[in-house]
Amino acid sequence: MPDVEMTIGVAHDRTATAIKIAPLEQPPLQLVLTFDELDQLIRELGTARSKMVEGQSLPDFENEEVTISTVANARWYIKASPPAGGLLAFYHPKFGPVGFTLPRDQVIQVVNFLTERFILQPTQSAEKH
């Protein structure tokens, strides 16, 4: 694919996003999208990305070089579907509502890990006794 220059801007009233794509040696193209249209584009790009990475190995999240798009204090939702597993969904400002499902054995691993780290290990107190 040819090299392109892209710029993305948000309207002052935050009602639209302008995407300007300038392929080398061609006139630039501009696409103006509403919030709903931008969400649709993000979903479609996610679908295209998932097809592109089919068959590739998953990243090693313990590697410090892996970049993770994190969210703090997100609105979240959990739905248990015994005995199959559970759904964890949350609102990501960059991608909108996202989530994942975990099979029963992975739910147990997560619960055990968090229990060990947050309940069974006492936290350091700032108070002096």
Side-chain angles (χ1 to χ4, degrees):
M1 295 193 83
D3 289 328
V4 297
E5 183 178 317
M6 280 194 297
T7 56
I8 301 173
V10 176
H12 291 294
D13 64 1
R14 298 188 299 188
T15 60
T17 297
I19 302 171
K20 186 176 179 181
I21 302 172
L24 291 180
E25 301 178 15
Q26 294 182 28
L29 306 168
Q30 183 165 314
L31 181 63
V32 178
L33 302 171
T34 65
F35 186 81
D36 290 337
E37 292 167 335
L38 180 62
D39 269 353
Q40 181 181 353
L41 178 61
I42 291 169
R43 281 191 302 276
E44 295 296 328
L45 288 171
T47 299
R49 186 184 189 288
S50 69
K51 289 178 183 177
M52 292 174 76
V53 299
E54 278 180 11
Q56 294 183 16
S57 60
L58 296 174
D60 176 8
F61 287 111
E62 294 180 15
N63 182 335
E64 295 292 324
E65 295 177 12
V66 173
T67 301
I68 300 171
S69 182
T70 59
V71 177
N73 300 316
R75 177 173 290 217
W76 54 273
Y77 170 78
I78 296 178
K79 180 179 179 181
S81 300
L87 164 74
L88 175 59
F90 60 96
Y91 182 81
H92 194 295
K94 289 184 180 179
F95 308 113
V98 295
F100 58 92
T101 58
L102 293 171
R104 177 181 165 77
D105 63 323
Q106 291 180 9
V107 170
I108 292 168
Q109 285 180 313
V110 169
V111 169
N112 288 340
F113 175 85
L114 293 174
T115 300
E116 287 177 19
R117 297 303 186 281
F118 293 101
I119 296 174
L120 298 179
Q121 293 182 2
T123 58
Q124 299 258 339
S125 173
E127 297 177 20
K128 295 184 178 185
H129 298 283

